[in-house]
Amino acid sequence: MGAIVFRIAIIIGLTELVIMLALSAIPHRMHGETMSGLQAALVSLLNPFLLILIASPIIYAWVVKPYVVERDAAQAEITHLAHVDPLTQLANRRLVDQHLQVALAQCTRHGHRGALIVLDLNGFKPINDQHGHDAGDALLAAVGTRLRTCLRTEDVVGRLGGDEFAVVVGHLDADPDQAIAKARCIAEKLIREISLPVEYGGRSLQVGASLGIALLEAVDTGVEAV
């Protein structure tokens, strides 16, 4: 706040200086001993409120606009950190819950089925213990990228914590048998992608995955029930 006030003071001071220089450039004796109309107009501009009004475009461009841009960027960063897992850049548990609520509402509104797929990595702990946390983090980040790239744009994948991930799949099918069959196809694709080796530090790291599928369909089903 102090920096903002300082900038405004500088702008107003410079505006006042320009007006004073303009006054000094006008001969004092114009039309006899009386002050010229131009001089009177310039003197009237030295009113503090008029100075602020005159300087307002510069104040906006140099003070207000940068502050607004910086504030909006900071707010966007806070929102991002509140909803995104920093390691994998996937949705965190909070954001997954929000998308799950939306998916349930859409299933109720349109009468179709979706699915929630929850995955746990198999064999992650030995890799983390033997090769270190950096290797484990690299593996989790690689898994997150693979999950994100093999899903539809409207589906949401998130990291719930540790080596647990969740995928919210929207519209699958109105028929429950068809919906669960499509969800299983997606789950099999996810397992294949997860099982591919990850190269790190000259070593090949590999994990598997176990998963569960919950169909999103019931009108009275809540996030907690799923």
Side-chain angles (χ1 to χ4, degrees), residues 148-172:
R148 185 169 52 244
T149 54
C150 69
L151 290 168
R152 303 175 302 179
T153 55
E154 63 266 30
D155 299 330
V156 177
V157 57
R159 181 185 176 210
L160 302 182
D163 61 350
E164 186 178 20
F165 296 83
V167 178
V168 179
V169 183
H171 185 280
L172 287 173

Side-chain angles (χ1 to χ4, degrees), residues 6-8 35 66 70 73 80 82 89 118 150 176 182 198 219:
F6 179 69
R7 286 189 177 188
I8 293 175
M35 181 182 291
E70 183 178 348
H80 177 79
Q89 294 302 303
V118 179
C150 69
K182 291 179 179 180
V198 174
V219 176

Side-chain angles (χ1 to χ4, degrees), residues 46-62:
L46 294 176
N47 182 290
F49 296 104
L50 288 177
L51 283 174
I52 294 174
L53 183 62
I54 295 169
S56 59
I58 303 175
I59 292 174
Y60 174 78
W62 194 41

Side-chain angles (χ1 to χ4, degrees), residues 111-114 171-182 215 217:
H112 59 242
R113 272 79 174 175
H171 185 280
L172 287 173
D173 203 287
D175 180 79
D177 293 332
Q178 290 295 322
I180 195 65
K182 291 179 179 180
L215 207 58
E217 55 178 340

Side-chain angles (χ1 to χ4, degrees), residues 36 44 46 54 71 78-79 81 87 116 121 131 165 167 190 198 217 219:
S36 72
S44 68
L46 294 176
I54 295 169
R71 182 203 62 190
I78 291 171
T79 302
L81 293 175
L87 176 61
L116 172 66
L121 301 186
H131 302 291
F165 296 83
V167 178
L190 295 176
V198 174
E217 55 178 340
V219 176

